[in-house]
Amino acid sequence: MATDGPLCPKRKFLDFLGGRGLRLTAQRRVIVDVVFSTDQHFTAEQLLDWSRRRDRSVSRATVYRTLPLLTASGLVREMDFGKDCKVYDPNYASHPNHSHIICQDCEKIVEFESEKIARLENEISLQLGFSVAGQRLQIMGSCEALKKEGTCKNRGGLER
Ligand SMILES: [Zn+2]
Ligand SMILES: [Zn+2]
């Protein structure tokens, strides 16, 4: 994935901010750098933690104010697991058609892309007189550890 140039997600986000007349403050720059340098899914608190590792002055308020801008830009997607805590996905800009399989115990998230699913979506949409604009597929399951040991050691890896 390109890390620079007009098509890189970070560049697009900076353009989005500029278009809204918003300034890129030093704190916000750190947050944006963190978001677009990871391919992991994260919670707001994790983003705060990662950002503070780079710059201790990053405030919780700035993180919480920047997240809605990131989702409004379409470059980061908010994922709904039906839990109280939101998880954010930074990979939508580069992989808009990926789906997720999630462990129901440790909440480990694995991404996958499937041509078959894409074909099926098109087929179903066509039959029903629609065209596909987007998709959100989440499979809940049991990871290796949960299957073997009945519990996951990594449980709680995501803050709730
Ligand atoms: Zn994802
Ligand atoms: Zn698990």
Side-chain angles (χ1 to χ4, degrees), residues 40-53 60 63-64 67 79 81-88 105-109 154-160:
Q40 283 186 56
H41 305 75
F42 56 84
T43 62
E45 289 300 311
Q46 274 173 325
L47 179 57
L48 175 64
D49 190 44
W50 295 343
S51 301
R52 277 187 176 161
R53 279 185 216 165
R60 177 173 273 110
V63 167
Y64 279 83
L67 275 168
M79 296 171 68
F81 295 161
K83 307 243 157 137
D84 359 326
C85 146
K86 288 173 185 160
V87 176
Y88 296 88
D105 191 28
C106 65
E107 293 174 10
K108 172 183 176 165
I109 300 169
N154 296 332
R155 196 176 179 176
L158 281 177
E159 283 113 317
R160 292 148 219 221

Side-chain angles (χ1 to χ4, degrees), residues 41 79 89 91-92 98 100 111:
H41 305 75
M79 296 171 68
D89 189 338
N91 297 337
Y92 269 94
H98 75 262
H100 299 100
E111 299 186 331

Side-chain angles (χ1 to χ4, degrees), residues 1-101:
M1 189 176 71
T3 52
D4 212 0
L7 292 176
C8 95
K10 192 166 125 190
R11 186 70 252 156
K12 282 190 195 161
F13 184 66
L14 299 185
D15 289 348
F16 172 85
L17 283 185
R20 296 199 162 193
L22 293 165
R23 276 191 325 122
L24 185 68
T25 59
Q27 284 195 29
R28 201 165 260 165
R29 180 184 293 278
V30 173
I31 295 166
V32 167
D33 279 344
V34 167
V35 166
F36 293 115
S37 64
T38 186
D39 54 9
Q40 283 186 56
H41 305 75
F42 56 84
T43 62
E45 289 300 311
Q46 274 173 325
L47 179 57
L48 175 64
D49 190 44
W50 295 343
S51 301
R52 277 187 176 161
R53 279 185 216 165
R54 293 199 189 194
D55 179 349
R56 295 186 59 82
S57 71
V58 173
S59 75
R60 177 173 273 110
T62 306
V63 167
Y64 279 83
R65 274 201 303 267
T66 304
L67 275 168
L69 293 170
L70 285 160
T71 54
S73 74
L75 298 166
V76 171
R77 190 181 268 191
E78 198 179 289
M79 296 171 68
D80 183 6
F81 295 161
K83 307 243 157 137
D84 359 326
C85 146
K86 288 173 185 160
V87 176
Y88 296 88
D89 189 338
N91 297 337
Y92 269 94
S94 43
H95 299 280
N97 294 317
H98 75 262
S99 300
H100 299 100
I101 186 158

Side-chain angles (χ1 to χ4, degrees), residues 103-108 142-146 151-152:
C103 175
Q104 55 193 338
D105 191 28
C106 65
E107 293 174 10
K108 172 183 176 165
S142 306
C143 73
E144 283 290 321
L146 185 57
T151 181
C152 303

